[in-house]
Every structure is written in structure tokens, then in C-alpha cells.
Amino acid sequence: MVASSSKALCLVLLLASMASAFAADAPSITTSFTAFWSAAERQPFLQQEAAWNRDIEAPRRDIYDAVVWEKQHDQYWQARRQIWLRGRFARYPELAAGIPAEVRALQDAIAKQSARFKTLFPDADPHPPVTILLAPNFDAKSGVLRNGKPVLAFAADSLLLEHAQLDIVVPHELFHLYHAQHARIRNDGVMSDAELTLPLFEEGLATYVSGELAPGHTDSELLLQDDLGNLPSEKLPVIAGRFLGDARAKAIDVQHPEVFARWFHAAARPYQPDLPNRTGYWLGLQLIRYLRRSHSLAEITAWSPAEAQAHTLEALRQVASKSE
């Protein structure tokens, strides 16, 4: 009974720390959503947007500016925001009733997975800077606030819409946050001046870690996409060779955003006719498994951004050479 009570107390403290980690004076996101939707339901878009601005964004301005809309990186954020919000507001009639339960499920999953995460990474923050919010343009995302601190945001409405498996999503994203704090690989590897090998490494490693912390799942489940999990291993050398053609491209390139997109973006249309979208996630996972043959997980996790890019590029070359 004492151990059980201790665990319950730890859970309560962790949830309390999550609630206070951001926007200390902000109400819970469930309370904010209830206020927003009470004012916005069945109203014209401009009235809905005004309610959203007041109830959802204003109490959490820093994280919406820096992480959700990425105003510092996207000169077209206002136009994209309008499109995203219109689409999401149209879905809220079907989602509204389930959002409070999804928030509670997220809180529970974050608390449980944070404790499990420390068994693999003992130096992990016992109270990670995590926030739960609403966002139409992602389901979970690491980012950096204006003060330079890494944060992790979970979008309860997007996760509900996707029927996401939280035992996979949460450890994947907790790793991104941990890695940003300990190896300074931020924004899931999509950093200024980073080459495409860095997000390849970062997403592969986060997927690998989620498999370690949520055992028993197939690659399709870990990659959140059936056709990715069904890619045959025999195609690995050819896919690695094709990626090598893009490997030195910049992860952030406003002149050529299609290079990053064809490996990492989801979309209704295929970016490559013979490969599923988001194949970079699959390739990254295979490369981490390849690197694990000669490096420990602790060693790989400690690599700096430059070291990660160099090791990933070399692994790509070695794997691609097997097709010759």
C-alpha cells in the first residue's frame, strides 16, 4: 500500500508540474476549449477566430508564436494559420465531446511514459517541459521558446482525430525533447544549417527509442503508417542510395522545400511514385538499427549534431554500397 500510494503521489506531482510548466496563469486547456467552443459553435469563421484568439492562444502566446505557428521561420504563417483554423473549426462539432477525455488520456500517458523513460535514460528530466494544447497543423511537436528553452507540445485535438496510439507517440516525442536538452538537436533535427541527414537520424532514433519503450509493436505501428512498415528490407540499399542524392541538402531551404518534403512529409499525393510518403522515417529507423551493431544507444544518443550527420552519412554510404 505504501508503494502504491507513493506512485500515486508521484503521478499527481508530475501532472501538477505539467500544468504549471507553461503559462502559469492560464486555465487548463479543457477549460479554455469549453469557453472557446461555447462562444464559437455554429458561428461565422471570424467570430470563431476571435474566440480562439481570446480563449486558446492569448493565455499561451509564447508557445503558439514560437512552436505552433513558428512565426520566426515562416513568413507565410498568417495565411497558413487561416487555412488550418478553418479546416479544424469544421471538425470540432465531431471532436468537441471527446477532447476532455483525450486530454486526460494524454496526461496519464505522459506521466507513465516519463517514469518509464527514466529507466532507459536515467538523466532524463523527471518533470519534462511538456504542454497539452490544441493545434490544427501537428499532433506532437518539439520546439524552442523565445528564451531558448526546448519544449514539447501535444495537440489533443489532432491526436484524437488520428485515433493515435499514445503509448507509441508519447515516448517518441519525449525522446525528441530529451535529445534537444542533452545533445542540442532541436526541432526534431530540422535546424538552421542542418543537412537532411540530421532529421533522418533524429526521426530514426526517436522511432527506435519508442520501440524500446513500447515493445510488441510492429514497424507499421511504430512508424504510424502501414505502407511504411511493409517496405521490404531488400529495398534498403536502393532507398539509401537515392537519399544520398539529397543528403547534403539543407533541412530548412525556403527555395527548395520539396527536398525535405519528399522524404518526411505526409500528403494526399505521393512525393515519389514508387515509395510511400514519409519514407525518411523508415530509412532513419533502419540506419539506427544498422548503427546499433557497432555503437551503444548511449553513445549514439550523445552524438553532437555534427557527429550525428557524419555517422549517418557514412552509414548511408555503407548501406547503399550493398546494392552495387
Side-chain angles (χ1 to χ4, degrees):
M1 288 294 291
V2 174
S4 178
S5 298
S6 177
K7 288 181 180 178
L9 177 59
C10 289
L11 177 60
V12 169
L13 291 174
L14 178 56
L15 293 178
S17 71
M18 286 165 47
S20 60
F22 301 95
D25 297 328
S28 72
I29 194 61
T30 300
T31 299
S32 292
F33 178 75
T34 299
F36 154 71
W37 196 235
S38 295
E41 188 175 13
R42 299 190 182 90
Q43 299 303 317
F45 173 73
L46 290 180
Q47 189 168 330
Q48 291 179 323
E49 185 182 28
W52 173 274
N53 292 341
R54 180 187 67 243
D55 297 318
I56 304 299
E57 289 199 28
R60 306 164 182 85
R61 177 58 56 202
D62 192 13
I63 197 163
Y64 272 89
D65 284 354
V67 179
V68 177
W69 307 126
E70 293 187 333
K71 293 182 180 181
Q72 70 278 26
H73 297 307
D74 186 358
Q75 62 179 319
Y76 303 112
W77 70 268
Q78 290 174 302
R80 298 186 206 278
R81 179 181 182 274
Q82 290 269 314
I83 294 170
W84 281 324
L85 287 180
R86 283 182 185 275
R88 183 50 50 90
F89 293 167
R91 303 300 299 268
Y92 277 148
E94 68 186 272
L95 295 175
I99 285 177
E102 186 72 7
V103 170
R104 290 193 297 271
L106 263 171
Q107 290 172 331
D108 184 57
I110 293 166
K112 290 179 178 177
Q113 291 292 343
S114 294
R116 187 175 297 171
F117 194 86
K118 280 189 68 65
T119 66
L120 196 59
F121 301 103
D123 58 342
D125 188 345
H127 306 301
V130 177
T131 188
I132 299 172
L133 42 69
L134 304 171
N137 54 330
F138 66 88
D139 48 17
K141 184 179 184 182
S142 295
V144 181
L145 297 178
R146 286 178 294 180
N147 61 12
K149 292 184 178 180
V151 297
L152 171 57
F154 288 99
D157 49 348
S158 294
L159 290 164
L160 176 62
L161 190 62
E162 297 168 0
H163 305 287
Q165 292 182 268
L166 298 183
D167 67 327
I168 294 174
V169 172
V170 170
H172 181 112
E173 299 301 333
L174 283 175
F175 178 77
H176 281 315
L177 176 61
Y178 169 84
H179 215 200
Q181 293 171 317
H182 289 78
R184 302 188 66 81
I185 298 181
R186 299 181 169 183
N187 293 336
D188 300 359
V190 186
M191 299 163 57
S192 298
D193 296 324
E195 295 178 352
L196 215 60
T197 48
L198 194 60
L200 183 72
F201 168 84
E202 180 67 8
E203 291 299 355
L205 186 51
T207 303
Y208 179 88
V209 168
S210 68
E212 293 292 295
L213 292 171
H217 288 288
T218 65
D219 280 5
S220 292
E221 291 169 330
L222 293 174
L223 293 161
L224 310 177
Q225 195 170 313
D226 286 344
D227 54 0
L228 282 182
N230 293 330
L231 275 173
S233 58
E234 310 88 74
K235 294 192 72 171
L236 176 57
V238 173
I239 294 172
R242 187 182 302 181
F243 191 93
L244 275 172
D246 291 330
R248 306 310 291 264
K250 296 298 183 184
I252 300 176
D253 186 343
V254 295
Q255 300 299 321
H256 299 285
E258 73 281 357
V259 182
F260 180 90
R262 68 169 156 256
W263 291 104
F264 297 102
H265 278 185
R269 63 176 181 83
Y271 286 104
Q272 302 184 72
D274 58 339
L275 291 177
N277 290 343
R278 298 176 67 249
T279 291
Y281 288 79
W282 177 87
L283 177 58
L285 176 59
Q286 310 314 314
L287 290 176
I288 295 300
R289 288 171 174 165
Y290 179 80
L291 287 165
R292 282 286 286 112
R293 298 177 187 177
S294 52
H295 302 279
S296 69
L297 180 59
E299 182 183 0
I300 292 172
T301 301
W303 286 339
S304 68
E307 290 171 327
Q309 289 183 143
H311 282 289
T312 303
L313 186 61
E314 180 58 26
L316 279 166
R317 289 170 174 160
Q318 290 174 4
V319 170
S321 70
K322 300 181 185 303
S323 67
E324 297 174 357

